[in-house]
Amino acid sequence: MTAPELYGIFWKAVAMLFDLGFTVNYACMDGGSSNRSFLGMHFENDARKKHYMVDNIVQEDRKIAMIMDASHSVKKIRNGCLASSSSAVKKNLCVNGNYILWSHWHDAYVWDQSQSLQIHRKLSLKHIQPDIAEKMRNHLAEECLNKDMLHLMQEYQSSLSGKGTHLTGTIKFLTHTSKFIEVFRDKREILLSSDKRLSTLQSVLQYFLDWENEVKSCDLPAPKKDKLMLSRECRDDLASCILGFQGMVKQKLKKCPGSYIIPSNINSDVVENIFCQQRGIVNGSNTNPTVHQYGYGINVVILSEDSMSQSRTSNARKNNVFLKTLPFSVYQKENRKRKSVELKPCKPSTDGNAG
């Protein structure tokens, strides 16, 4: 689907939802080429200045936040680190003279495996040397950049007895990525626009903006500058995720006093999981199913499946977006637990009248 086609479908959907009494506050998407072009159609190279908020042509007193999916942004960041090496074939990430290399993750993992008690218990070879399919797993990317990884890197630096200064840039980098992940996986409500989590996200964004400005100010050829920082798409996705989320929260709390936002629900995990279920149920590798095929698949999902997959390989996480429908087998188990009550027949009345 091209961006112009997506543009027409999107605003038609917004109008239909408005007619039904719904207000669209944000649009969440991944970094597909059509999505990027669709996003660019709403801005004239000033998306960051407008905080990725576009005018709602259906409801003039509202804006719609264009938010890149947080899980997608984390994977983009991890992939940038994965490509960073001292040979600088693809990337050689550097902040304030401190390098961020994937070998730091590898060395920390090897050291952790040699300990009697593993610090980062979820870290495995799949995290350090992911194949094509494993690169798509949200949890593998997050566990390479979260607070557990930060703790491991700090402990590994301490074990080097003063010889771990080369890890300083990586530790500072993980400090900010772990905050980003922690906020967008937080299930606590945001009730006020002064919530400290919003300022935390701003500090994360400022770190990446300072990094970008530092590299751009260097007297180096453009190809070498690109190797020193994350890709432009990754930086734009991160800015969209943070600025769009901040703008959406502030507008929602202002227009709807007493409402709240749960950060862990602002993602496309549920939709992505339904697409996976669609393929697994009937469509296989068919990326263009007919209306009949799609209708059959979605009925199966609604009637006999949870809206969230319980598989560890699924990218979706549990949240409260949809109510869960219990499989029939669960109801059977619940019925077995109930004590059966024997109903005795009523004795006929002696006078012939009904009891």
Side-chain angles (χ1 to χ4, degrees):
M1 182 179 293
T2 64
E5 291 174 333
L6 189 59
Y7 185 94
I9 293 173
F10 174 80
W11 286 110
K12 183 179 179 180
V14 172
M16 293 175 68
L17 288 168
F18 178 72
D19 291 339
L20 294 171
F22 293 94
T23 296
V24 177
N25 292 301
Y26 73 96
C28 188
M29 65 198 80
D30 63 15
S33 58
S34 296
N35 290 340
R36 293 187 187 279
S37 300
F38 165 74
L39 188 61
M41 294 175 68
H42 293 87
F43 303 101
E44 298 179 358
N45 299 322
D46 60 349
R48 293 186 184 182
K49 292 181 180 179
K50 292 185 176 180
H51 284 215
Y52 290 88
M53 301 286 288
V54 302
D55 294 328
N56 189 336
I57 61 178
V58 178
Q59 198 172 355
E60 296 182 354
D61 63 329
R62 295 294 185 97
K63 292 181 180 291
I64 298 179
M66 297 295 182
I67 303 176
M68 278 292 172
D69 184 42
S71 298
H72 166 79
S73 299
V74 170
K75 286 186 289 189
K76 291 286 288 185
I77 295 172
R78 189 279 315 274
N79 291 343
C81 297
L82 190 61
S84 180
S85 64
S86 56
S87 60
V89 176
K90 294 182 179 180
K91 290 288 182 183
N92 188 21
L93 302 180
C94 183
V95 187
N96 294 324
N98 297 310
Y99 289 97
I100 302 171
L101 307 175
W102 192 247
S103 59
H104 298 166
W105 275 263
H106 177 271
D107 294 343
Y109 166 71
V110 172
W111 175 81
D112 194 25
Q113 291 295 311
S114 66
Q115 304 303 304
S116 57
L117 182 62
Q118 194 173 351
I119 296 175
H120 194 335
R121 298 184 180 181
K122 294 183 179 180
L123 198 63
S124 66
L125 200 59
K126 292 181 179 180
H127 297 79
I128 305 302
Q129 298 176 355
D131 58 25
I132 296 176
E134 289 163 351
K135 287 181 180 179
M136 300 301 294
R137 302 301 178 201
N138 293 342
H139 70 96
L140 294 180
E142 290 181 10
E143 287 161 2
C144 287
L145 300 172
N146 62 7
K147 60 182 181 181
D148 292 332
M149 190 69 232
L150 170 62
H151 179 53
L152 170 59
M153 198 67 70
Q154 290 172 332
E155 292 298 317
Y156 174 54
Q157 185 186 46
S158 300
S159 71
L160 297 177
S161 303
K163 297 181 180 179
T165 54
H166 62 287
L167 299 174
T168 302
T170 302
I171 289 175
K172 188 173 182 180
F173 174 79
L174 288 171
T175 301
H176 289 88
T177 58
S178 61
K179 291 178 181 178
F180 177 82
I181 293 171
E182 187 175 5
V183 170
F184 278 102
R185 292 308 177 194
D186 197 340
K187 296 182 180 180
R188 296 173 299 164
E189 302 90 344
I190 294 179
L191 300 169
L192 301 171
S193 57
S194 59
D195 193 292
K196 65 178 183 179
R197 284 168 287 182
L198 297 179
S199 58
T200 297
L201 288 177
Q202 187 60 39
S203 67
V204 172
L205 178 61
Q206 193 60 49
Y207 167 79
F208 286 96
L209 291 177
D210 292 342
W211 182 3
E212 180 181 5
N213 293 332
E214 176 202 344
V215 174
K216 286 183 176 180
S217 64
C218 294
D219 187 17
L220 293 171
K224 290 188 176 181
K225 288 183 180 181
D226 292 338
K227 291 183 178 181
L228 295 176
M229 56 183 173
L230 297 170
S231 66
R232 179 182 58 82
E233 292 81 6
C234 181
R235 301 195 306 270
D236 288 343
D237 291 352
L238 192 62
S240 168
C241 186
I242 293 176
L243 293 175
F245 178 74
Q246 290 175 327
M248 184 271 293
V249 169
K250 292 177 181 179
Q251 175 181 252
K252 178 67 175 178
L253 296 180
K254 181 179 179 181
K255 295 290 185 178
C256 304
S259 60
Y260 62 87
I261 294 93
I262 300 176
S264 63
N265 286 351
I266 309 301
N267 54 58
S268 58
D269 285 355
V270 174
V271 177
E272 184 177 345
N273 197 63
I274 287 179
F275 289 159
C276 292
Q277 288 175 312
Q278 280 279 352
R279 289 187 178 186
I281 291 170
V282 67
N283 298 326
S285 59
N286 181 12
T287 58
N288 191 23
T290 64
V291 174
H292 176 73
Q293 289 174 323
Y294 184 84
Y296 172 78
I298 202 66
N299 285 338
V300 173
V301 171
I302 292 173
L303 296 175
S304 62
E305 296 289 333
D306 290 347
S307 62
M308 282 295 187
S309 171
Q310 303 301 317
S311 172
R312 185 58 176 143
T313 59
S314 170
N315 271 341
R317 290 172 175 264
K318 292 182 179 180
N319 58 31
N320 298 322
V321 176
F322 297 123
L323 292 177
K324 293 177 63 178
T325 57
L326 295 176
F328 183 69
S329 59
V330 176
Y331 288 117
Q332 287 182 315
K333 292 178 181 178
E334 291 294 329
N335 289 334
R336 291 195 194 109
K337 295 179 182 178
R338 298 174 182 173
K339 295 181 179 179
S340 59
V341 179
E342 184 179 356
L343 299 178
K344 298 180 180 180
C346 296
K347 295 181 179 179
S349 176
T350 56
D351 58 0
N353 296 326

